[in-house]
Amino acid sequence: MAHANSSSSGPWLTRPFTERATRLFLAVLVFSLVVVTVLHLALPEGHPLHVSSYTVTLLGKYLCYALLAVAVDLVWGYLGILSLGHGAFFALGGYAMGMYLMRQIGDRGVYGDPLLPDFMVFLNWDSLPWFWQGFDMAWFAFLMVLLAPGLLALVFGFLAFRSRVTGVYLSIITQALTFALMLAFFRNEMGFGGNNGLTDFRELLGFDLRSDATRLGLFLASGVALALGYLVCRGIVGSKLGRVCVAARDAEARVRFLGYRVERVQLCVFVVSAMLAGVAGALYVPQVGIINPSEFSPLFSIEIVVWVALGGRGTLYGAVIGALLVNYAKTVFTGVMPDAWLFALGGLFVVVTVMLPKGIAGLMARRVKMDDATPLKEATP
């Protein structure tokens, strides 16, 4: 597949449409969304090709993971920053959405309090904390889905990049960040439900979250978010900003010598990536019905990196392939071999890493090059 065409003209967000890889990716994504929707709505239950509501929700969750993987690939593949803390941005977006969904429950909770969520009543809270104010309004909650992870990334990135913390040290710091947040959110006095997190959601924008139509709508929304997120990332990497990112990744000292403020470039891309991860978390929560501190787990952030490595770092579409493949394999393995699924998944990682050092996307690119070279060889006398 072709990479960004630096000679393309036009606005940075429309430029990706000139790339064959982007057009192919969007075509496959739209085709998949349409097929799943038709098979879910048009075919009756019991038909071999019918897609159940459970499968629709599962696929929606996979698409959220794919958007998260694209966000990680943007900073790792093109900026050279191995972030082991993107699970924190994903979880913050999820908590912002979860707080809005909890406020929508109102007096229909177990304790019937019109203002306080059930877990606050259970813990004898007498008033709503200040940081829960405004989450009864959808526009405020959706804004916080972007701002909460974006502000954290801005502060963290400003301190880290300004101090020129790079390489393995930056990876360790991002891992420590998400671990610290996990420990904090486990505490009941933080006001986020402690170990149990936020759950028992009922409605989103007035739509019943338990209805099949809402589940299908969330699946489609996840697909649209993935397409938009992919276009934003592809637009960035195909722009001058993206070329500076790649240059800083490969030779940071030379880029600084040319007069670029590398830390500003890193900070800008890092914040965009964190906001995309927050959107993925916000779409993930209403589909799985819960958000708890386990989403901050360092292991989850490492797993995201594995998705990207397996799919192919620095391609964006490879990250999508890796996220979908690994999570599908996890679903299959946990059903077929519940006691040994982790070993099977680990074996898959080892095989792909050894056999495909550039991931699945690297294999696809090599195959395309071979196909392109074949006519030339045949034409050579």
Side-chain angles (χ1 to χ4, degrees):
M1 293 186 180
H3 289 273
N5 184 1
S6 59
S7 63
S8 301
S9 59
W12 68 276
L13 198 51
T14 60
R15 199 173 302 154
F17 291 102
T18 63
E19 305 169 11
R20 186 177 65 171
T22 301
R23 292 199 299 267
L24 180 59
F25 172 81
L26 293 177
V28 171
L29 179 60
V30 171
F31 177 76
S32 302
L33 295 177
V34 171
V35 168
V36 171
T37 302
V38 171
L39 295 181
H40 174 67
L41 295 177
L43 299 180
E45 293 185 16
H47 192 281
L49 296 180
H50 173 72
V51 177
S52 66
S53 295
Y54 169 78
T55 304
V56 169
T57 302
L58 190 64
L59 294 174
K61 189 177 76 170
Y62 290 170
L63 292 176
C64 294
Y65 284 151
L67 177 58
L68 177 59
V70 168
V72 171
D73 194 24
L74 178 64
V75 295
W76 186 31
Y78 295 91
L79 203 54
I81 297 174
L82 178 55
S83 171
L84 298 179
H86 260 56
F89 306 129
F90 178 82
L92 285 178
Y95 266 98
M97 176 60 79
M99 292 166 73
Y100 165 72
L101 296 175
M102 290 296 288
R103 295 294 305 273
Q104 298 306 300
I105 297 175
D107 57 3
R108 292 172 294 176
V110 175
Y111 297 101
D113 193 297
L115 187 63
L116 298 180
D118 281 343
F119 75 89
M120 290 188 185
V121 179
F122 179 77
L123 295 173
N124 296 321
W125 289 56
D126 54 5
S127 61
L128 199 65
W130 64 268
F131 48 84
W132 276 76
Q133 302 294 335
F135 279 95
D136 55 330
M137 298 177 287
W139 68 267
F140 180 82
F142 296 161
L143 184 63
M144 293 308 295
V145 165
L146 294 172
L147 287 185
L151 286 175
L152 177 64
L154 181 66
V155 174
F156 175 84
F158 176 78
L159 296 175
F161 301 140
R162 186 169 177 268
S163 303
R164 299 193 182 183
V165 179
T166 58
V168 66
Y169 301 104
L170 183 61
S171 301
I172 292 173
I173 292 176
T174 55
Q175 186 88 125
L177 170 71
T178 190
F179 186 66
L181 286 171
M182 183 185 71
L183 295 180
F185 275 70
F186 264 121
R187 299 167 65 92
N188 283 328
E189 56 268 34
M190 281 288 289
F192 294 106
N195 182 49
N196 295 321
L198 309 178
T199 187
D200 195 27
F201 307 134
R202 308 290 176 86
E203 293 180 355
L204 173 62
L205 297 173
F207 296 98
D208 185 1
L209 285 173
R210 296 179 176 84
S211 74
D212 293 345
T214 305
R215 292 182 180 185
L216 181 62
L218 286 169
F219 162 73
L220 295 174
S222 301
V224 172
L226 174 60
L228 293 176
Y230 184 91
L231 285 174
V232 168
C233 294
R234 182 58 73 188
I236 290 175
V237 301
S239 66
K240 181 180 178 181
L241 175 63
R243 292 192 287 276
V244 175
C245 288
V246 174
R249 178 196 66 186
D250 296 338
E252 182 176 335
R254 294 184 182 182
V255 176
R256 290 187 185 279
F257 180 76
L258 292 173
Y260 288 100
R261 299 290 296 272
V262 174
E263 60 275 10
R264 293 183 181 179
V265 175
Q266 293 172 327
L267 184 61
C268 175
V269 176
F270 192 68
V271 170
V272 171
S273 173
M275 295 171 88
L276 290 177
V279 172
L283 287 167
Y284 169 85
V285 168
Q287 297 188 79
V288 300
I290 187 172
I291 177 72
N292 59 39
S294 64
E295 303 299 340
F296 287 105
S297 168
L299 288 177
F300 177 58
S301 292
I302 295 175
E303 188 178 330
I304 302 167
V305 173
V306 173
W307 302 344
V308 178
L310 191 145
R313 173 190 170 197
T315 58
L316 295 181
Y317 61 83
V320 175
I321 295 172
L324 297 179
L325 180 63
V326 172
N327 283 287
Y328 175 73
K330 186 189 294 186
T331 301
V332 172
F333 290 154
T334 51
V336 175
M337 48 182 75
D339 297 328
W341 68 272
L342 200 56
F343 296 101
L345 200 60
L348 176 64
F349 293 154
V350 172
V351 169
V352 173
T353 304
V354 172
M355 304 297 293
L356 302 171
K358 294 184 179 181
I360 298 172
L363 177 65
M364 296 168 63
R366 188 170 60 185
R367 182 62 182 269
V368 170
K369 287 182 179 178
M370 292 175 62
D371 292 342
D372 292 342
T374 301
L376 296 177
K377 291 181 179 179
E378 292 176 349
T380 303

